[in-house]
Amino acid sequence: MRILITGTAGFVGFHLASRLLADGHVVVGFDAMTPYYDVKLKSARHAILARHPNFQGLTARLEDMDALRHAADLADPEMIVHLAAQAGVRYSIEHPQTYADSNLLGSFNVLELARGLKIRHLMLASTSSAYGANTAMPFRESDKADHPLTFYAATKKAMEAMSHAYAHLFSIPTTCFRFFTVYGPWGRPDMALFRFVEAIEAGRPIDVYGEGRMQRDFTYIDDLVEAVVRLAARAPVMGRPVSGEGFTDTLSPVAPWRLVNIAGGEPVELVRFIDTIERCLGKPAVRRMLPMQPGDARATFADHRLLEALTGYVPHTAVEEGVEAFVRWYREQWPAAVPASDPAPVPVPA
Ligand SMILES: NC(=O)c1ccc[n+]([C@@H]2O[C@H](COP(=O)([O-])OP(=O)(O)OC[C@H]3O[C@@H](n4cnc5c(N)ncnc54)[C@H](O)[C@@H]3O)[C@@H](O)[C@H]2O)c1
């Protein structure tokens, strides 16, 4: 299949593109190399993808509609996977504009692009943060989620809603997935695992928010990619919901549109996550216990029954195994795998 993926220099996009290329697909990747975190890590990921003859990478911003159209001309895509975004919950408190640019205008442009193409499936990355202030666990896709705690979450909820309208008006088969704290090799330096390993290796203390009592439904990257690949083959068809015990399909009654959690439904307390990191590193952490930060959810816990019904698959890698894989990558390949010079990120179009 010919696939256009946005965000291929990012953590998830890199892994998904690698897997799809290995499966024999042709991929055009689109990424602006934004400087939210170390651009060298992004260019190293793209450099690895570029070794594959079926990969072509473009460096441009989602806000640049001409660049997106050029990518679509090159790819002639049968499927689009939209992963590029300004990610990060806490950063959105001080930098909301970049979320409006990338996640609102950027996602709108991807929808406009899809509108003009005949694609089999549009897949969009949303987040567990969309559950916001919900306290009923596990989080079900069919639960109302009307109280986002951060602007990041609000932009992702907006993207879900915008894509529903486009799916309805222009019959674009669309799946929105909600990811839950994805981690693994080549992961994001702004996320807890990377930050903790970096600090412990350097002998620096780590900041443990929520006194370590927060829980996250950590999802190992290979499991997430497996779920996305399986969902790719399950483009929503109006009037054909899946059914099963204890869950409601989110298939829209008026559009080929569905919302799916991707996670294993095994929340882990932060303190246990840190214990695991210490064991894998063979070094103790100096823990600075701090209160919850604004915008943080106390817990995330996915109901995975819809995912299982659609794909026959549930993420299952234990954090012990996943953290070990990350530590191995960190010690053996990072930062040796990364080129010395920073490629320039693409400026936001005026
Ligand atoms: N990693 C997680 O735990 C997690 C959890 C929930 C949701 N998500 C979502 O999954 C997707 C992928 O996340 P990730 O962890 O790979 O993040 P990432 O930051 O590693 O990747 C995102 C990529 O998008 C690119 N990008 C950002 N703004 C852009 C723009 N305006 N134009 C073009 N490219 C732009 C960045 O350069 C980056 O390479 C995102 O949509 C994110 O919101 C991730």
Side-chain angles (χ1 to χ4, degrees):
M1 206 189 322
R2 297 180 307 278
I3 305 164
L4 173 62
I5 306 179
T6 70
T8 36
F11 170 41
V12 174
F14 163 68
H15 282 279
L16 179 66
S18 303
R19 164 69 188 271
L20 292 170
L21 289 165
D23 288 352
H25 300 289
V26 178
V27 175
V28 169
F30 186 98
D31 199 299
M33 308 278 173
T34 61
Y36 168 57
Y37 62 76
D38 195 343
V39 174
K40 292 200 284 292
L41 176 56
K42 297 185 180 185
S43 57
R45 295 185 187 124
H46 245 199
I48 292 174
L49 294 176
R51 286 187 211 143
H52 202 288
N54 284 343
F55 180 79
Q56 201 166 350
L58 291 178
T59 306
R61 294 196 65 101
L62 297 166
E63 296 91 312
D64 183 348
M65 193 66 206
D66 290 339
L68 267 181
R69 287 200 202 288
H70 176 57
D73 287 345
L74 274 180
D76 186 17
E78 297 158 273
M79 181 167 85
I80 299 176
V81 189
H82 175 43
L83 302 168
Q86 176 59 57
V89 171
R90 291 176 190 151
Y91 190 73
S92 74
I93 299 170
E94 300 303 330
H95 303 89
Q97 183 69 52
T98 170
Y99 292 76
D101 294 342
S102 296
N103 302 3
L104 295 179
L105 179 55
S107 298
F108 163 71
N109 282 349
V110 170
L111 294 173
E112 266 295 290
L113 187 75
R115 169 187 180 174
L117 301 168
K118 282 267 159 287
I119 52 170
R120 288 196 222 163
H121 202 174
L122 171 64
M123 305 180 90
L124 308 161
S126 187
T127 168
S128 60
S129 302
Y131 289 105
N134 287 16
T135 51
M137 302 276 169
F139 293 151
R140 292 196 178 91
E141 300 91 339
S142 53
D143 289 346
K144 266 170 75 115
D146 290 340
H147 302 112
L149 296 174
T150 59
F151 189 61
Y152 166 63
T155 62
K156 289 290 185 174
K157 271 287 286 177
M159 181 191 73
E160 292 175 5
M162 294 191 296
S163 72
H164 181 273
Y166 267 61
H168 167 68
L169 291 169
F170 309 114
S171 304
I172 306 167
T174 303
T175 300
C176 289
F177 15 67
R178 288 186 178 159
F179 295 163
F180 286 66
T181 319
V182 190
Y183 73 103
W186 293 98
R188 273 180 27 207
D190 62 318
M191 291 182 70
L193 177 58
F194 206 122
R195 285 191 289 111
F196 288 165
V197 167
E198 206 164 38
I200 298 168
E201 285 285 73
R204 284 187 273 111
I206 59 170
D207 290 342
V208 183
Y209 294 105
E211 309 283 342
R213 295 292 156 215
M214 288 194 288
Q215 296 190 349
R216 290 291 176 268
D217 205 338
F218 291 100
T219 311
Y220 188 60
I221 184 66
D222 291 356
D223 294 356
L224 180 104
V225 165
E226 180 65 32
V228 171
V229 166
R230 289 176 184 233
L231 282 171
R234 297 300 310 261
V237 181
M238 237 165 62
R240 283 209 230 142
V242 290
S243 55
E245 186 111 345
F247 71 90
T248 310
D249 192 355
T250 49
L251 181 69
S252 166
V254 292
W257 183 98
R258 174 183 277 128
L259 175 66
V260 189
N261 287 337
I262 301 184
E266 296 270 349
V268 170
E269 227 177 43
L270 195 54
V271 280
R272 183 182 141 209
F273 194 62
I274 297 168
D275 293 345
T276 306
I277 296 173
E278 288 179 328
R279 263 198 308 279
C280 291
L281 286 173
K283 282 187 190 176
V286 180
R287 304 177 189 206
R288 213 157 40 193
M289 300 310 238
L290 297 166
M292 294 262 294
Q293 288 208 306
D296 276 350
R298 194 159 285 284
T300 65
F301 175 6
D303 190 319
H304 55 65
R305 284 173 290 187
L306 177 56
L307 174 68
E308 191 171 11
L310 287 165
T311 64
Y313 181 78
V314 176
H316 56 268
T317 301
V319 287
E320 288 72 15
E321 203 183 318
V323 169
E324 198 178 311
F326 176 83
V327 167
R328 207 176 316 119
W329 168 79
Y330 184 88
R331 286 190 162 158
E332 291 172 10
Q333 293 190 52
W334 171 262
V338 168
S341 67
D342 257 350
V346 183
V348 185

